């Protein structure tokens, strides 16, 4: 009777050990599946962010060309205004010098 009890306890222990091993294997499989889900989710997030950044970069590049044109036009306009301003200044100086030479032809300003 004692031997039968011992054999029954050993059998129950083996069954419990097998059940534990099965549970461990199932938990490991679940952990791998969850890990794969997380990896897939992170890859999707990264892909989405890369697409957003690519779109943003392309939009920035498109706007860059427009901004460059505006700046070049502004620069050309300012240069034209400076040239016109210099011409006007030169013309005024010439007129003033002509007027002075008409009124004061014999004086020297050196």
């Amino acid at each position: 009777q004692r031997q039968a009890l011992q054999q029954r306890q050993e059998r129950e222990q083996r069954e419990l050990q097998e059940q534990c091993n099965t549970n461990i294997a199932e938990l490991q499989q679940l952990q791998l599946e969850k890990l794969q889900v997380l990896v897939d989710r992170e890859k999707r997030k990264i892909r989405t962010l890369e697409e957003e950044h690519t779109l943003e970069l392309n939009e920035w590049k498109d706007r860059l060309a427009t901004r460059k044109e505006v700046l070049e036009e502004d620069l050309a306009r300012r240069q034209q205004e400076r040239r016109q301003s210099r011409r006007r200044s030169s013309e005024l100086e010439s007129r003033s010098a002509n007027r002075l030479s008409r009124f004061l032809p014999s004086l020297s300003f050196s």
Side-chain angles (χ1 to χ4, degrees):
Q1 185 180 16
R2 194 172 212 191
Q3 189 175 1
L5 181 61
Q6 187 175 357
Q7 287 175 348
R8 190 183 80 192
Q9 286 177 345
E10 288 174 358
R11 182 177 37 84
E12 287 176 357
Q13 186 178 5
R14 279 192 307 272
E15 289 173 359
L16 287 174
Q17 186 62 44
E18 288 173 9
Q19 186 61 45
C20 284
N21 290 339
T22 302
N23 290 343
I24 289 172
E26 287 177 12
L27 288 173
Q28 287 175 335
Q29 181 63 32
L30 283 173
Q31 188 176 21
L32 286 174
E33 289 172 6
K34 286 182 179 182
L35 180 62
Q36 187 60 44
V37 167
L38 287 174
V39 167
D40 291 342
R41 184 179 301 154
E42 289 301 310
K43 283 181 180 180
R44 281 194 307 272
K45 282 183 183 179
I46 290 171
R47 198 175 315 114
T48 300
L49 288 173
E50 285 176 346
E51 289 170 359
E52 289 173 3
H53 289 148
T54 300
L55 180 63
E56 186 176 337
L57 179 62
N58 289 337
E59 289 173 355
W60 182 85
K61 285 180 180 179
D62 291 342
R63 288 190 310 264
L64 182 65
T66 305
R67 288 195 312 263
K68 181 182 177 189
E69 287 178 22
V70 168
L71 288 173
E72 287 174 343
E73 290 170 1
D74 187 48
L75 178 62
R77 182 185 51 78
R78 288 180 185 198
Q79 288 174 338
Q80 181 66 26
E81 287 173 358
R82 279 195 213 113
R83 283 193 291 268
Q84 289 173 350
S85 176
R86 284 190 205 129
R87 278 191 218 129
R88 279 188 236 125
S89 295
S90 297
E91 290 173 3
L92 288 175
E93 288 175 12
S94 296
R95 288 180 194 161
S96 296
N98 286 340
R99 287 181 188 155
L100 279 177
S101 66
R102 275 189 280 158
F103 292 110
L104 305 169
S106 61
L107 293 178
S108 173
F109 294 103
S110 25

